[in-house]
Amino acid sequence: MKNNFLFFFMLVITSLGCAQETRTNDFELKQNDKYTIEMIVPDLVNPWGLAFLPDGSMLITEKSGELIHFKDGTKTIISGTPEVSSRNQGGLLDIRLHPDYKKNGWIYITYSSVEGDGEGAHTALMRAKLKGTALTNQEVLYKGSPNTRKSHHFGSRIVFDDKGHVFFTIGDRGARDENPQDITRDGGKIYRLNDDGSIPKDNPFVGQSGAKEAIWSYGHRNPQGMAIHPKTGAVWTHEHGPRGGDEVNIPEAGKNYGWPVISYGINYSGTSFTDITEKEGMEQPIYYWVPSIAPCGMDFVSDSKYGDLDGSLLVGSLKFKYIERLILKGNTVVGREKLLTDAGRMRNVVMGPDGYVYLGIEGAGIARMIKK
C-alpha cells in the first residue's frame, strides 16, 4: 500500500511538471498553411535589423558589425559603422529611420558598444546620416553603463512614437538580480528619449535621486521585439523569458514589469527562481508563452497584402523557426496561429512600405512573406 501511494504521489508531481512545461496561455496553436516565403536578399548570416529607405531600398544590419545597403539586387557595405563587441548576443543590432527622414536624414542604430568605463560592452543608441556609402554625422545618444564582460541580454529594438520620442530596449545584461529592479542602474529597461537624445521632461523618473532619467519602464529581462500599434500609437514589446515565460507587454510610464521577482518561467536547469507569478505593484503581461518560443522581432499587420491577417501581431520564433500570429481583440489576445513552419530562425519581422511582411532569417537572408 505504501509503495502504491508513493507511486501515485510521484505520478501526480510528474504530471504537474509536464503540465507547466506545455501550457501556452491556454490557446491552441492552430496551423495556417496559406503562406510561404520568397527570398529577397540571400546569403546573410544574422540579419538583425532592417529599415526601408524612401526609394524602397534596404538598410540591413548584420550582427557581426556590417551595415548593408541593398538596392536593385546589389549589396553595398556601408563604411563608418561603430565598433561593436560581436560576442554571443552582442553586435550591430537594430536600425530605424527617423519618421521625418526625408527632411532630416537621421538613421538610428543600437549596438553593443565597447566605449566607456569597464571591460566588455553595453548597449548604446546612436544616430547618423548616410552620405554615399558612408555613415556621417555620428552621435551617441545613450550608452548603458558600466560595461560588463557578460555577452548576453543586450536587447535591443528601436521605435518612434508620434510625439518626437525614440524608444529603445536594453536587456538585463545577465545581471538578473541587480539590474532590472533598480532604476539607478542600466539594464532590464525600456528607455525613452527625445529624438535628439535629450531627456523628456515628463519621463517618469526625472528628478528622482540617482535614477537613470531615460527610463520609461523597468523589470524587463531581454526585450528583442518592439512595435507601435497602428491604431492606438502605443508601444508594444516582447521579451525572452528563461525556460518559459516569454512575455508581450504594453509598457507604461514608470511601471514595473516584474522580472525577476515574478515570472511564468523557470531556470534553464529546471529549478525554480521565484514562487510567484503576481505581486502588487508589478504588471502582468498581456500574453505569455510556456514553453518559450524564444521570440525575436515583431510587427503589426496593417494596410497589407494579407487581408485576413490585418490587425494581427506577428512574432518571430528563434526556437521553433516559425512566425506566430497573435489574433487581437483590442489589447487582448484571443487566438494564435503558426505561419511558415520550419522556415528558419526568425530574427526580425518588419511590415514593409509595400504592404508585405519582411523577415530576417538567420543563415539565410531577408525574405518576403507571400500567399501560396
Side-chain angles (χ1 to χ4, degrees):
M1 179 67 72
K2 183 177 180 181
N3 287 339
N4 288 341
F5 174 79
L6 288 174
F7 175 77
F8 176 76
F9 178 77
M10 292 304 296
L11 181 63
V12 169
I13 294 298
T14 302
S15 298
L16 288 173
C18 291
Q20 182 185 23
E21 282 297 292
T22 57
R23 178 167 51 88
T24 314
N25 224 27
D26 300 326
F27 288 112
E28 177 188 359
L29 181 58
K30 298 180 179 180
Q31 186 75 33
N32 185 333
D33 294 322
K34 297 179 182 178
Y35 300 95
T36 186
I37 60 171
E38 174 188 16
M39 190 58 61
I40 304 299
V41 189
D43 302 322
L44 299 176
V45 178
N46 197 336
W48 222 101
L50 169 64
F52 288 89
L53 291 167
D55 63 0
S57 62
M58 303 178 188
L59 290 174
I60 305 162
T61 60
E62 278 273 25
K63 192 179 77 69
S64 58
E66 292 181 332
L67 177 60
I68 298 168
H69 182 213
F70 181 78
K71 183 176 182 179
D72 298 329
T74 300
K75 298 174 190 172
T76 301
I77 303 298
I78 302 300
S79 63
T81 52
E83 180 183 359
V84 304
S85 174
S86 184
R87 294 175 57 237
N88 194 4
Q89 296 174 7
L92 196 61
L93 303 174
D94 207 16
I95 185 167
R96 185 78 62 160
L97 303 188
H98 190 284
D100 206 12
Y101 176 82
K102 288 183 180 180
K103 291 185 178 179
N104 62 36
W106 286 118
I107 299 167
Y108 292 69
I109 298 172
T110 50
Y111 60 103
S112 54
S113 171
V114 297
E115 296 180 356
D117 295 333
E119 295 183 359
H122 214 300
T123 307
L125 172 74
M126 67 168 290
R127 68 176 182 176
K129 295 187 177 184
L130 182 62
K131 185 175 182 181
T133 60
L135 288 182
T136 65
N137 302 82
Q138 297 184 26
E139 301 176 7
V140 176
L141 302 184
Y142 195 88
K143 168 69 196 304
S145 64
N147 288 341
T148 171
R149 291 187 61 80
K150 293 181 178 180
S151 59
H152 56 291
H153 297 185
F154 289 91
S156 176
R157 295 291 176 187
I158 310 166
V159 297
F160 289 86
D161 67 11
D162 59 1
K163 299 178 177 63
H165 303 123
V166 56
F167 291 78
F168 63 102
T169 69
I170 301 180
D172 67 15
R173 295 298 287 110
R176 179 186 74 184
D177 299 320
E178 291 81 34
N179 290 341
Q181 291 294 316
D182 187 346
I183 62 170
T184 71
R185 299 174 65 94
D186 283 310
K189 314 293 194 302
I190 311 297
Y191 297 80
R192 183 179 78 151
L193 299 174
N194 294 319
D195 60 6
D196 63 358
S198 60
I199 304 291
K201 294 179 180 179
D202 60 346
N203 266 14
F205 301 112
V206 167
Q208 188 163 326
S209 178
K212 300 286 186 177
E213 295 183 338
I215 294 172
W216 177 253
S217 62
Y218 65 108
H220 301 280
R221 186 172 182 266
N222 190 25
Q224 289 190 335
M226 187 158 57
I228 297 290
H229 193 287
K231 292 185 178 179
T232 68
V235 176
W236 288 46
T237 63
H238 71 53
E239 61 189 80
H240 292 272
R243 184 172 164 184
D246 304 333
E247 296 182 1
V248 176
N249 290 298
I250 307 175
E252 297 182 43
K255 293 192 175 180
N256 181 353
Y257 289 81
W259 175 256
V261 179
I262 61 174
S263 176
Y264 289 93
I266 57 177
N267 288 317
Y268 292 114
S269 64
T271 61
S272 175
F273 61 87
T274 181
D275 296 326
I276 58 175
T277 57
E278 298 183 24
K279 185 176 181 178
E280 186 176 356
M282 295 183 178
E283 303 303 308
Q284 284 291 298
I286 69 162
Y287 191 79
Y288 64 91
W289 287 271
V290 177
S292 170
I293 68 166
C296 196
M298 73 177 190
D299 212 345
F300 291 93
V301 182
S302 62
D303 299 325
S304 72
K305 305 289 186 181
Y306 328 96
D308 54 336
L309 300 185
D310 277 356
S312 301
L313 182 64
L314 300 187
V315 178
S317 169
L318 292 166
K319 182 177 181 180
F320 295 120
K321 302 179 181 181
Y322 68 83
I323 293 293
E324 180 152 328
R325 175 196 180 196
L326 296 181
I327 303 168
L328 303 175
K329 185 175 182 180
N331 291 340
T332 302
V333 176
V334 297
R336 54 195 292 253
E337 290 184 341
K338 179 193 293 187
L339 282 63
L340 307 177
T341 303
D342 294 325
R345 281 173 54 87
M346 297 294 173
R347 179 55 68 182
N348 202 4
V349 182
V350 176
M351 191 74 219
D354 58 359
Y356 285 103
V357 172
Y358 288 80
L359 311 167
I361 305 176
E362 288 188 9
I366 303 296
R368 181 163 57 195
M369 188 172 78
I370 58 174
K371 288 186 178 181
K372 289 183 178 178

